[in-house]
Amino acid sequence: MAELQTHQEKLELPAMAEEPAEGESIREASVEISREFKTLIDNRGVDSLKQLQHLILGRLQDSNAVLSHFNEYSEHCFAEVSSDFTRNTRLLMSMKTDLDYIFLKLRGMRSKLIAIYPDAFSDDSKGEMVDRRPNLDLSQ
């Protein structure tokens, strides 16, 4: 049994000693891989890519500023026009209701006139009046 413990201690000691050596080998491998990557890419190419990225960034920032300004301007214009638009919409809806009522009354008067004076209108106009106006209440 004493032999077994001694054998286990011998196995554990080199494992502890290998940990720093393993870390060192990983570090050396990392350095080697980075060196290989550097040989794959030309420094001028990297600098060119960086310049293009900065140029694109500047253009995107300019575009963003222009769009922000346009959004603020649009919001201001909408605030100015919104009340007028709402008022005019109400007015148009009221006018439509009034006109519908007027046309209803006119159709009633016409049918009474046709009943009282059948000869007053031509035969074509005696037929059923069809409302050919588009229905604006339906959303398209």
Side-chain angles (χ1 to χ4, degrees), residues 89-130:
T89 302
R90 283 192 204 123
L91 178 65
L92 286 173
M93 294 301 288
S94 173
M95 289 171 63
K96 181 188 180 303
T97 304
D98 292 345
L99 286 173
D100 285 342
Y101 179 75
I102 290 169
F103 283 119
L104 179 70
K105 288 295 185 179
L106 285 174
R107 281 192 291 274
M109 290 170 55
R110 185 174 187 276
S111 46
K112 285 181 186 177
L113 285 173
I114 289 175
I116 296 172
Y117 305 105
D119 296 334
F121 294 96
S122 66
D123 290 336
D124 292 337
S125 66
K126 288 182 183 177
E128 181 66 29
M129 291 292 292
V130 178

Side-chain angles (χ1 to χ4, degrees), residues 25 42 58 61 64 66-67 71 73 81 97 104 114 125 130 136:
S25 65
D42 183 21
Q61 287 173 339
N64 192 25
V66 168
L67 288 174
N71 284 341
Y73 175 74
V81 175
T97 304
L104 179 70
I114 289 175
S125 66
V130 178
L136 300 176

Side-chain angles (χ1 to χ4, degrees), residues 28-99:
E28 288 174 6
S30 297
V31 169
E32 183 62 30
I33 288 175
S34 66
R35 222 180 280 132
E36 288 296 322
F37 274 127
K38 284 182 181 179
T39 61
L40 293 175
I41 299 175
D42 183 21
N43 281 342
R44 286 177 288 167
V46 172
D47 291 338
S48 173
L49 285 175
K50 285 168 71 175
Q51 287 176 346
L52 286 173
Q53 286 178 339
H54 284 293
L55 178 68
I56 291 171
L57 176 65
R59 288 181 180 173
L60 289 174
Q61 287 173 339
D62 291 345
S63 298
N64 192 25
V66 168
L67 288 174
S68 295
H69 178 70
F70 178 75
N71 284 341
E72 290 170 5
Y73 175 74
S74 297
E75 187 177 349
H76 175 73
C77 289
F78 179 75
E80 286 180 358
V81 175
S82 179
S83 62
D84 291 340
F85 184 74
T86 303
R87 183 173 32 86
N88 290 338
T89 302
R90 283 192 204 123
L91 178 65
L92 286 173
M93 294 301 288
S94 173
M95 289 171 63
K96 181 188 180 303
T97 304
D98 292 345
L99 286 173

Side-chain angles (χ1 to χ4, degrees), residues 13-30:
L13 285 177
M16 287 181 185
E18 286 180 14
E19 286 179 14
E22 184 177 327
E24 186 65 33
S25 65
I26 290 174
R27 197 175 353 258
E28 288 174 6
S30 297

